[in-house]
Amino acid sequence: MKTNRLKSKILLTLVSVILGVATIVTLYNIIHDKGQNDLRMEEAYQNVRLNYEESIYETVHFYTARAHSNLNSPGVMDAILSRDHDRLYQLILPRWKVISHENSSLVVMQFHNADGTSLLRMHQPDVFGDPIALQRPMVAYIHKHHTLVYGFEEGRQGLALRILVPILNQGTYVGAVEFGLSTPFIIDKIHRHTGYDAFFLIKEKILGTFSHVDRYLAVGEYRAIDVDPELVPLVKLYQSKYDRLQDTIIKYKNQTFAITTVPVNNYLNQPIGAIIFVHAAPDFWEHVLQMVTATGLIALIMMGILGWLISRLYDSISTQMNFQQMYNQTILDAIPSPVIVTDGHQLVAANQTFLAYFHYESVLDFKRDHACVCDYFEEGDTHDYLMPMLNEQRWTDYVSDHPLINHKVKITIDHKTTIFDVKLSVLRFQEEKRYVVIFTDISSMQSISMTDPLTGIANRLHFTMVYEHAINVAFREKRPLGVIFFDIDYFKHINDKYGHLAGDKVLKHISQVVSKRLRKSDIFARWGGEEFVALLPDTSLEESYQIAETLRQTIEAENFEIAGKITCSFGVAMLEENESADMLLKRADELLYEAKASGRNRVIRQELRETH
């Protein structure tokens, strides 16, 4: 009877605890999830706006570079100064074909005279000489201020993102070159990053004659351009609920959608409209209902089985403890990787894979020779490798306190070195603490993932990892850092004439030739296709240039069997103060492009445009 009363009291107590905990947990989760939901919505908006701003910045930067590249081409400036429409057209036509092919959204490339007339429209070469500055405020603005200007503006080709770059001849303003990209370009670019559907809303008063738009939808003082037919009902619902643009959540046909607005400004930073982003979003209150239902069902199930557990609790404790020990060891032995349990100083338990790897019969045998597995840890080539003590911490505490780092250890047994990935979990009971550590062999995976399978040199992933570290070291220790980009001239001709197997042999051969002439401290990698990159630590621009020139001459003198004589084009750049990693590579790549455009089989370095 007393036992039954005790069981009843325990049962009632546990039921009360379960209900209380379930209620508290549910309320906490609702509050927490609400905050997370609001945070996700805010992050989604920031992500969209950031992508939009980055897309505009990247596009302006890209076409500004394209403008300077065109203006620096031989003969172009003379044609502009003499206002020779036909000569300028012939000089720019090959480049126009390339840039219009690489981006189908490029609808405008135009050269403007400083007096406000059009010198040349590459997209309409027969139309020129008209006073375009009287019709286009952006054109009038650059003629007045002589500075880069960009923004959305309507023209003959409709609304477009327009980028106008001033043309200066020895410091004198002589005109401008303009690029115009249709609005779907920005929307498609952001869609690729975010996956969101989008469309433009433009203020009705600035539309003018918008003849190229075949459908639009009124939203207050705005007009929606090229709205996907599937989104039209949603846009109408949005219009009926709100009299001004705002971020919100709309439920339509049992689906919740998040509406995000990003303002669009003209070249004077004046608002002319917005881009509306639409994406499916989870219904928070439906999520709350599911959470409450699930928690209630779990609580009922737990209370239902609790009576059965209580009735068997006393008799099963000792049996369960013994079984648990066997169960834990069975699980450890079933894991194919070495696994240990340690208190941070000594080994407590280990699986058979661990014991077999170190050639011991039992944990006791191992502990007779070693207090800790860390006795075997060796130094590696990066800071990712663990040692017994790191930053005045035991290795177990260090791994536990730095869960975001990919920890590795290097161990040599029987003259064979193995690289292990280390994953650690912490078990705590009262004052006791145990670490469960899994060692996963990644030696083969690491070698494969870091090496180009064709040439045997470092691949792009390996280069990128080392490159970031080298940039940080160069900035921190104020050391020079050079980069060489080069590729094989007319490599497609080699593949077409001799076949891809011959092309592969050429890639291997060049990799061997270059590898022999670089230093051990240099990083040589295949960037992709027939393009290679070399990272030169502690190397000035002049030294980097000399290395590149030596490589160029060596390759030119080499006999490549079936392919015969082969040449390469090189771009050489050196890290500048406060320069980003991406910008350094971009400059080297542009210099390579310049080397190829100026005749191939030459080295072009930054600042000094000497060719050899």
Side-chain angles (χ1 to χ4, degrees), residues 346-347 360 363 365-373 375-376:
Q346 292 191 346
L347 202 62
Y360 284 99
V363 172
D365 292 337
F366 182 90
K367 291 172 68 175
R368 275 197 279 276
D369 296 331
H370 302 280
C372 177
V373 66
D375 293 346
Y376 287 92

Side-chain angles (χ1 to χ4, degrees), residues 14 25 41 50 173 186 207 218 224 237 249 272 323 328 365 370 409 412 427 515 538 564 567 582 590:
L14 290 176
V25 169
M41 295 304 299
L50 181 61
Y173 178 78
I186 297 298
L207 281 177
L237 180 61
I249 299 292
I272 63 171
F323 173 77
N328 291 342
D365 292 337
H370 302 280
V409 296
T412 301
L427 300 177
S515 296
D538 295 320
T567 62
D582 289 341
E590 289 175 347

